[in-house]
Amino acid sequence: MTMNNVETSIGSERGRGRPPKIRSSEVYGRAEHWRGVLAQVWDRLWPLLSNARSEGEVTNAFQDGASPYDSYFVPGLAALTLQVLRESTLPKRAQPLQRFLADSLAGVGVVTPRRSRDICAQERAKRASVNRILRYEFYVECSCGYCGRSKNHACPKCGAEILFPVSIGSFMS
Ligand SMILES: [Zn+2]
């Protein structure tokens, strides 16, 4: 991808303070996506990428080893990739390395690889700590006479289902 594709938030949106250059959720989302991509092509990609010593060789490695996903990474992020591969903290094992690469590159150079990894770690921690609604029911008054809590979004006595409005139904399904 090219730098032109990077979505950045508009300065005045947040009111005060220095606007973030890139959305954390966007960086994290891209990192997760790219981690999956890297895992999928890793056996082809890594033998080539681990021997790449220039931007051109990084580009070739992705084009030969990561197609059809190579354009996510090169040529736009070839220089950044080379920089990340030279970091002293580069993991050795495949899975941590895939995550390291994905997290580092997901900031697409708008932020440093280090900052990009920090953003991903923060977003990961945030998501892990947030409680989620696992199940929700409604108080219903059914024509069968039942009044009380629904069960699996239906009347527990006669089985009549709650009919959601179309706009909500498509969102909830
Ligand atoms: Zn009923």
Side-chain angles (χ1 to χ4, degrees), residues 71-137:
S71 61
Y72 294 157
F73 305 97
V74 296
L77 300 179
L80 196 66
T81 303
L82 199 59
Q83 184 188 325
V84 172
L85 290 173
R86 288 170 177 164
E87 290 201 38
S88 58
T89 54
L90 194 73
K92 297 250 187 311
R93 291 187 301 124
Q95 281 187 5
L97 180 50
Q98 289 158 12
R99 170 172 281 190
F100 187 90
L101 270 180
D103 286 2
S104 300
L105 297 176
V108 293
V110 174
V111 293
T112 63
R114 174 62 200 267
R115 174 80 189 115
S116 185
R117 291 195 297 274
D118 286 347
I119 289 172
C120 291
Q122 281 166 11
E123 286 293 306
R124 218 162 259 137
K126 205 195 288 180
R127 276 161 173 73
S129 68
V130 169
N131 282 320
R132 295 168 190 280
I133 301 294
L134 301 176
R135 179 179 165 178
Y136 59 90
E137 295 295 348

Side-chain angles (χ1 to χ4, degrees), residues 142 144 155 158:
C142 186
C144 74
C155 170
C158 74

